[in-house]
Amino acid sequence: MALSGCSEITALVIPDSVKTVGYMALSGCSALKSLTIPFVGSSLKINEEDTRYPFGYIFGSYRYEGGVEVKQWSSSGNKTYQVTYYVPATLKKVTVLGGNLNFSSFDDCNMIEELTVGEDVVGIDGNAIRELDGLKTVYWNATYCVFNESNYTFNPAIKYVNADLIIGGNVKQIPARAFYGWIGLRNVTIPDSVEGIGQHAFYDCGQSVNYNEYNNGLYLGNPNNPYMILVKTTSTDITSLIVHDKTTIILYDAYSNCNNLQYTEYGNALYLGSETNPYKVLVKAVNTDIESCSINEQTEIISYGAFWGCRNLTHINIPDRVRTISHYSFTDCTGLQEISVGASVKFIGDFSLAGNVALTRISFSGSKAQWLAIAKGELWNNGSGLYIIICSDGELQIGI
């Protein structure tokens, strides 16, 4: 398709049925204010050897009145090269429906104020969105998106951008490292639909984030539940922490360095409580030598690494109120043979059942459809043995 030179167009939607967009397709569209594109670059699907183009590619490298010079990078294999493109100065809103957000996708596009990442965006490279002086809001609607570690691993996907982040209402899971290193992140809205957050998703976001504070904890959420996610504590020196009653997610390192925290002990495990539930969060086993653990029936969250390396455990019963099994919760429990899981579980975190070579059976009190609907993190069962998942309406699958 080509709309080159259409200087009167102010809004344009290129639907996701379009699979390729040519170089300079929108050159000279100098009045464009709002643009929706099916992907960044030249095509939706690219092979490893194909060139990965940035946003400016579709506007081209020829000057036109109303075009602003931007310098962006293309990559082909292990090679990168910089190209000058001309993007309309009037362009304020951009929506990317799908594909991958490539390295350097939006470099120098300081005219953009609002960027929407669509539901079908499946990947984002390091340095995809950086140093956009005009950007005010990022709308994140991607329902399954991974940070491409192989592409510029040590660079955050979004950085040096002073903007707000609004997660869309259809997002169930925020991937690992999605927003790590986003220096300049300000207000964050996360809807109740989010059931799990990958490791390092909000790591190292600087001091500009506006958290909601409650009893030694700093939280993110939404207007209906500002205390949905416990991100971190106000200090690593605290001795007590009361988790908010409405908290459903605790980030993996929220209190990992709080060595003076006081816990409640029950059944070979240590707990943090809320105002109404002293056993809301199972933090960790009393030690890794335990042979059994009776998880309290009021427990709602099993914390990061709670039973990591408890190799003498053979059976564990996860009560019906538990909704979150966090990252590495049962990693390398090499003696664990059987797990009973309640139907309230909404998220099973990264590597949470990894390395359980003796595992033969997971008994799930819900249906097969409910098990499949559980959001599961990266490599959640990596390296575990062959096991059967038994649901209320029959056997679902054999794990790997």
Side-chain angles (χ1 to χ4, degrees):
M1 64 171 295
L3 295 168
S4 180
C6 294
S7 59
E8 296 182 358
I9 294 177
T10 58
L12 177 63
V13 176
I14 303 176
D16 56 11
S17 58
V18 174
K19 304 305 179 185
T20 61
V21 178
Y23 174 65
M24 292 183 61
L26 303 183
S27 177
C29 294
S30 55
L32 200 57
K33 296 180 181 179
S34 174
L35 174 63
T36 297
I37 52 177
F39 44 79
V40 170
S42 61
S43 62
L44 178 63
K45 293 183 178 181
I46 58 174
N47 299 315
E48 191 66 31
E49 65 275 11
D50 293 339
T51 301
R52 300 162 70 91
Y53 293 106
F55 176 67
Y57 172 83
I58 59 177
F59 292 99
S61 298
Y62 289 92
R63 295 178 184 270
Y64 57 88
E65 186 175 351
V68 174
E69 177 182 303
V70 301
K71 295 183 182 296
Q72 299 177 345
W73 294 81
S74 297
S75 62
S76 180
N78 294 324
K79 298 180 179 179
T80 60
Y81 53 93
Q82 193 176 52
V83 179
T84 297
Y85 299 109
Y86 290 89
V87 176
T90 54
L91 186 59
K92 302 300 179 185
K93 296 182 179 181
V94 174
T95 298
V96 182
L97 298 176
N100 192 79
L101 300 186
N102 304 326
F103 163 70
S104 181
S105 280
F106 296 97
D107 280 8
D108 283 347
C109 289
N110 295 317
M111 72 290 292
I112 297 175
E113 297 180 356
E114 181 180 299
L115 176 63
T116 300
V117 178
E119 289 190 6
D120 295 324
V121 171
V122 295
I124 184 168
D125 293 351
N127 280 334
I129 305 168
R130 58 181 179 179
E131 300 182 27
L132 300 184
D133 294 341
L135 192 61
K136 297 178 180 178
T137 307
V138 174
Y139 294 92
W140 183 276
N141 297 321
T143 54
Y144 180 81
C145 180
V146 297
F147 179 67
N148 297 319
E149 288 198 80
S150 60
N151 298 315
Y152 315 98
T153 304
F154 301 107
N155 290 301
I158 308 172
K159 68 177 184 178
Y160 305 127
V161 175
N162 297 313
D164 298 339
L165 172 65
I166 299 175
I167 307 294
N170 291 327
V171 176
K172 290 181 61 177
Q173 188 172 349
I174 297 173
R177 299 168 294 282
F179 309 113
Y180 100 93
W182 182 347
I183 304 299
L185 178 61
R186 298 181 306 204
N187 299 304
V188 181
T189 302
I190 301 177
D192 293 336
S193 63
V194 172
E195 295 166 348
I197 297 178
Q199 297 181 84
H200 301 286
F202 291 96
Y203 180 74
D204 197 22
C205 286
Q207 303 300 315
S208 60
V209 180
N210 293 318
Y211 295 107
N212 305 303
E213 186 172 343
Y214 173 83
N215 200 287
N216 290 336
L218 298 176
Y219 295 79
L220 293 175
N222 56 69
N224 292 326
N225 183 6
Y227 306 106
M228 175 181 169
I229 300 160
L230 174 59
V231 179
K232 58 183 179 180
T233 58
T234 55
S235 166
T236 56
D237 297 326
I238 62 172
T239 58
S240 67
L241 175 65
I242 297 176
V243 180
H244 197 277
D245 277 318
K246 297 182 70 174
T247 297
T248 58
I249 298 171
I250 297 176
L251 296 196
Y252 84 100
D253 59 346
Y255 38 68
S256 59
N257 295 318
C258 296
N259 298 322
N260 299 318
L261 266 181
Q262 302 298 307
Y263 302 106
T264 299
E265 184 173 341
Y266 176 91
N268 281 340
L270 302 177
Y271 293 81
L272 287 173
S274 66
E275 291 286 356
T276 62
N277 180 2
Y279 304 104
K280 181 179 178 71
V281 183
L282 192 160
V283 178
K284 58 184 176 181
V286 291
N287 59 64
T288 57
D289 296 326
I290 63 170
E291 297 180 358
S292 65
C293 180
S294 176
I295 300 177
N296 192 280
E297 293 294 325
Q298 297 184 67
T299 301
E300 299 172 17
I301 299 169
I302 298 177
S303 194
Y304 172 88
F307 296 96
W308 194 346
C310 292
R311 298 180 178 180
N312 297 323
L313 277 178
T314 57
H315 299 78
I316 197 77
N317 178 54
I318 299 174
D320 285 339
R321 285 187 65 173
V322 173
R323 74 173 313 281
T324 300
I325 302 173
S326 301
H327 312 304
Y328 293 90
S329 289
F330 296 95
T331 300
D332 288 337
C333 295
T334 53
L336 192 59
Q337 300 171 24
E338 183 173 350
I339 304 173
S340 296
V341 180
S344 296
V345 169
K346 301 297 183 184
F347 179 68
I348 301 176
D350 302 349
F351 295 93
S352 55
L353 298 180
N356 296 334
V357 294
L359 188 63
T360 60
R361 179 186 181 105
I362 295 177
S363 298
F364 180 60
S365 64
S367 67
K368 292 183 286 186
Q370 285 176 293
W371 176 266
L372 292 173
I374 295 173
K376 301 175 181 72
E378 293 182 345
L379 302 174
W380 66 277
N381 62 349
N382 183 56
S384 291
L386 295 175
Y387 57 87
I388 300 171
I389 300 174
I390 304 298
C391 302
S392 61
D393 54 353
E395 180 179 314
L396 180 63
Q397 69 181 62
I398 294 178
I400 55 174

